[in-house]
Amino acid sequence: MNEADRRLLRQSRVRLVGELQVAALWDALLNRELFTPDMIEDIQRAGSGSRRDQARQLITDLETRGSQALPLFISCLEDTGQETLASLLRTSRQAAKQDPEAIRPLNLKPVVLGPVSLKPKELRGAKQDPSRPSQGKLAPVVLGPEELWPAKLRPEVLRPEAPRPVDIGSGGFSEIRAQDRAKGNADLAYVLNADPCGHCLIINNVNFCHESGLRTRTGSSIDCERMQQRFHLLHFMVDVKCNLTAKQMVQALVELARRDHSALDCCVVVILSHGCQASHLQFPGAVYGMDGYPVSVERIVNIFNGTGCPSLGGKPKLFFIQACGGEQKDQGFEVASTSPEDRTPDSDPEPDATPFQEGPVTVDQPDAVSSLPTPSDILVSYSTFPGFVSWRDTKSGSWYIETLDSIFEQWAHCEDLQTLLLRVANAVSVKGVYKQIPGCFNFLRKKLFFKM
């Protein structure tokens, strides 16, 4: 769907959710091949299954159905006697074509921030003096316009931190004692005493059907092996599933959520696949099944909410997503080198991007946000910031998973998860010619220390 149609659909969202008669639309949507039967079933099961929930999900999914999705949807409205809504969309669409400025794409070009003490204008005017040492590690952090983010749902963007006392040997014992105190305090840290600690599901999509237009993800099996071994060492029961369709991915996740987790303390999901941007309310992005159909990260996370997975209530649910967040390539900005060049001469990095993804997305209308429960005990770690590619080396695996595994091996015995992810962000940010920085949406209520 082009950006003008996307913007029009979002501007009309509140009225569509309020008035759309979805029950009459299913046959028309199928006849015009706008959705498949499986997709219709998924929309019908959205939320509580009410008309408003179904309408909301239908409008969200419509944005992923190609360049002709909106005119076909308008035809479906006409076929089912919903002429008022059809006329609204048709008239607005024609007006937008005559006056492109009326609905123009938002400028979501990345803004690169340096030290927190520097304002953007100062940063642009500042030049690095090669004769002076670098003042700390400056990793690029990419942000969209902040005013577009709902205040309660802002992501925690991972930035490099100053060297910790335990790293440099000065004050290390006090830092270790503070971590130990947190580990032993149930008010400060999750209790992970069960053995095994919990389930870990790894979905590794390597080969994709020809019709999807998606390339084979060479090197992903290395990532899968790393994560399988790492979480086994962290006392998780690991289950690996490969090359699943979008429907099979959802089925595997639902099966995991329906298990009895009463005697367990945590749950982990790792997804390795191609990815893209997607319309969202809380968690951005989507990952592709091997059939080329996307599953939104938001839907994946919501499978494990209190209704779908009551036995995990109050327990941490961790999601690690190795997939592209979009197609933009981060060139980064020049700083004094803080580490040697880590790209080997025979390395072959490639992005987990898709060849046909379209422009940036914005937050949803208030109508959709107001009815959502606040997520809790959830952390979603992305390999890259939404909107940008995630790099994978065909010989050594993805930058993100390789670094995540290495950091966990070195520091998981003494540091909490958020600190580990800060280390991952810092290490990944200095790799390669094109840049990448992982980030996370953190709704955990306490610190999390893995069981060793």
Side-chain angles (χ1 to χ4, degrees):
M1 180 175 290
N2 62 50
E3 185 61 22
D5 286 352
R6 195 190 308 269
R7 293 273 292 160
L8 171 59
L9 198 60
R10 291 173 187 170
Q11 289 178 353
S12 309
R13 184 183 183 90
V14 173
R15 184 167 177 183
L16 287 170
V17 170
E19 300 179 16
L20 190 63
Q21 300 303 312
V22 291
L25 281 172
W26 306 134
D27 288 341
L29 295 172
L30 288 171
N31 290 338
R32 294 186 180 274
E33 299 183 346
L34 196 50
F35 291 95
T36 67
D38 288 340
M39 292 177 179
I40 295 293
E41 290 181 11
D42 290 340
I43 294 171
Q44 291 171 337
R45 289 195 297 263
S48 64
S50 67
R51 183 202 62 79
R52 289 181 66 87
D53 285 344
Q54 291 179 0
R56 187 177 295 116
Q57 189 64 49
L58 172 59
I59 301 306
T60 299
D61 291 354
L62 189 63
E63 294 186 17
T64 69
R65 303 308 299 151
S67 60
Q68 295 302 308
L70 185 55
L72 287 174
F73 180 64
I74 292 173
S75 298
C76 291
L77 290 174
E78 293 171 338
D79 294 345
T80 56
Q82 302 185 62
E83 184 58 41
T84 302
L85 292 178
S87 177
L88 168 69
L89 295 176
R90 188 190 318 105
T91 303
S92 300
R93 192 167 187 261
Q94 291 172 350
K97 287 182 178 180
Q98 295 172 1
D99 182 14
E101 289 297 312
I103 304 180
R104 64 178 185 274
L106 288 175
N107 182 7
L108 293 182
K109 294 182 179 179
V111 177
V112 181
L113 302 182
V116 176
S117 59
L118 285 183
K119 297 179 180 179
K121 290 184 178 179
E122 294 171 340
L123 180 62
R124 287 195 296 269
K127 294 184 178 179
Q128 179 71 28
D129 184 353
S131 65
R132 299 182 61 185
S134 171
Q135 300 298 314
K137 299 179 179 180
L138 305 180
V141 179
V142 187
L143 301 175
E146 187 170 342
E147 64 272 12
L148 295 179
W149 298 1
K152 294 183 179 179
L153 300 177
R154 296 189 181 191
E156 292 195 10
V157 180
L158 302 179
R159 292 188 176 92
E161 61 175 9
R164 298 167 55 84
V166 71
D167 296 348
I168 60 180
S170 173
F173 291 111
S174 62
E175 180 68 22
I176 292 173
R177 285 198 297 269
Q179 295 279 23
D180 288 340
R181 284 196 298 270
K183 285 184 182 180
N185 189 335
D187 292 330
L188 299 177
Y190 291 102
V191 177
L192 269 63
N193 289 333
D195 195 359
C197 181
H199 291 286
C200 172
L201 173 63
I202 301 176
I203 297 177
N204 181 30
N205 288 341
V206 179
N207 302 310
F208 296 80
C209 67
H210 177 73
E211 293 77 11
S212 71
L214 300 172
R215 293 181 297 176
T216 299
R217 299 182 61 255
T218 307
S220 185
S221 295
I222 299 172
D223 289 344
C224 184
E225 291 174 8
R226 283 196 175 109
M227 290 293 93
Q228 185 176 6
Q229 295 174 9
R230 181 57 48 204
F231 281 102
H232 176 73
L233 292 172
L234 294 174
H235 300 271
F236 284 84
M237 297 175 286
V238 182
D239 184 19
V240 177
K241 296 183 181 295
C242 298
N243 300 325
L244 302 185
T245 64
K247 184 176 182 179
Q248 289 170 339
M249 290 173 65
V250 173
Q251 289 174 339
L253 292 162
V254 170
E255 289 173 4
L256 175 60
R258 288 177 177 172
R259 291 181 182 178
D260 184 5
H261 301 263
S262 301
L264 306 173
D265 293 330
C266 186
C267 184
V268 173
V269 173
V270 181
I271 298 183
L272 314 170
S273 187
H274 284 298
C276 63
Q277 295 187 77
S279 178
H280 65 280
L281 311 180
Q282 293 171 321
F283 302 98
V287 289
Y288 280 102
M290 57 83 64
D291 55 352
Y293 289 103
V295 181
S296 70
V297 173
E298 186 161 283
R299 183 180 182 194
I300 292 170
V301 173
N302 285 338
I303 289 173
F304 294 84
N305 62 20
T307 303
C309 191
S311 61
L312 275 175
K315 301 176 182 180
K317 297 162 279 287
L318 313 178
F319 301 84
F320 298 90
I321 311 295
Q322 165 54 43
C324 269
E327 286 189 80
Q328 296 188 65
K329 296 179 180 178
D330 187 359
Q331 302 275 1
F333 63 97
E334 187 173 350
V335 296
S337 177
T338 58
S339 65
E341 177 59 55
D342 58 355
R343 180 177 175 181
T344 57
D346 60 344
S347 67
D348 185 18
E350 60 180 34
D352 275 329
T354 61
F356 45 82
Q357 198 58 31
E358 296 175 337
V361 299
T362 62
V363 297
D364 211 340
Q365 294 286 342
D367 167 76
V369 174
S370 61
S371 64
L372 284 175
T374 302
S376 64
D377 306 297
I378 287 171
L379 182 141
V380 182
S381 175
Y382 292 87
S383 62
T384 188
F385 199 87
F388 288 82
V389 298
S390 177
W391 295 99
R392 169 176 37 81
D393 192 289
T394 57
K395 298 181 177 65
S396 60
S398 67
W399 295 358
Y400 168 69
I401 295 295
E402 180 182 23
T403 306
L404 188 73
D405 178 52
S406 175
I407 294 296
F408 278 20
E409 180 179 17
Q410 296 176 66
W411 299 103
H413 68 283
C414 63
E415 294 187 339
D416 68 285
L417 177 58
Q418 184 69 1
T419 304
L420 296 173
L421 293 178
L422 283 168
R423 289 186 178 274
V424 172
N426 185 38
V428 172
S429 70
V430 298
K431 288 178 175 286
V433 177
Y434 287 113
K435 295 302 174 183
Q436 173 183 336
I437 185 165
C440 75
F441 280 42
N442 184 2
F443 293 99
L444 297 179
R445 297 176 294 111
K446 307 176 185 180
K447 289 189 174 183
L448 187 148
F449 296 89
F450 285 111
K451 181 181 178 67
M452 301 303 293

